[in-house]
Amino acid sequence: MKVYLIGRISGEPDDYDHFQRAALKVRMMGHTVLSPMILPDGLDNEDYAHIFYSMMDVSEGVYFLDNWQESAIAQEAFRYAQHTGKTILYERVPA
């Protein structure tokens, strides 16, 4: 299954590491990973949004990192994933 990763992206180096660890975990589950962390710097927010939704549209599943609820964009992506019938996976199951 193609799985898109979603979590908070604040520009901190820890974010990149968090996504890398999540990508490895999802690959070890046997899935193909689509990650927003592979995109180049220098695009505007609208460009990133188009790419994010395109990546999510071609995925069958979405993997939510444990910090996703700290991001308004990730919360919007959660609603979109539900609306489009994606398989939803969690790094940590919400309480």
Side-chain angles (χ1 to χ4, degrees):
M1 173 169 59
K2 292 175 286 202
V3 177
Y4 181 64
L5 304 180
I6 295 188
R8 182 194 71 222
I9 300 174
S10 64
E12 297 296 320
D14 288 349
D15 291 342
Y16 181 79
D17 293 340
H18 193 177
F19 273 83
Q20 288 298 95
R21 287 189 306 273
L24 179 61
K25 183 177 180 180
V26 172
R27 277 189 203 98
M28 290 178 66
M29 295 165 59
H31 304 301
T32 299
V33 173
L34 299 169
S35 175
M37 297 304 278
I38 63 164
L39 300 177
D41 294 333
L43 302 178
D44 63 34
N45 286 341
E46 187 175 321
D47 292 334
Y48 286 121
H50 284 294
I51 296 168
F52 292 163
Y53 280 103
S54 294
M55 292 172 84
M56 195 168 7
D57 284 341
V58 300
S59 70
E60 292 97 19
V62 182
Y63 182 87
F64 287 88
L65 280 67
D66 62 8
N67 62 8
W68 73 271
Q69 292 176 318
E70 299 170 21
S71 166
I73 294 169
Q75 291 176 29
E76 183 179 316
F78 178 77
R79 291 186 292 275
Y80 185 76
Q82 286 182 309
H83 176 75
T84 57
K86 304 293 182 193
T87 297
I88 296 177
L89 306 167
Y90 297 99
E91 182 174 39
R92 184 181 323 152
V93 178

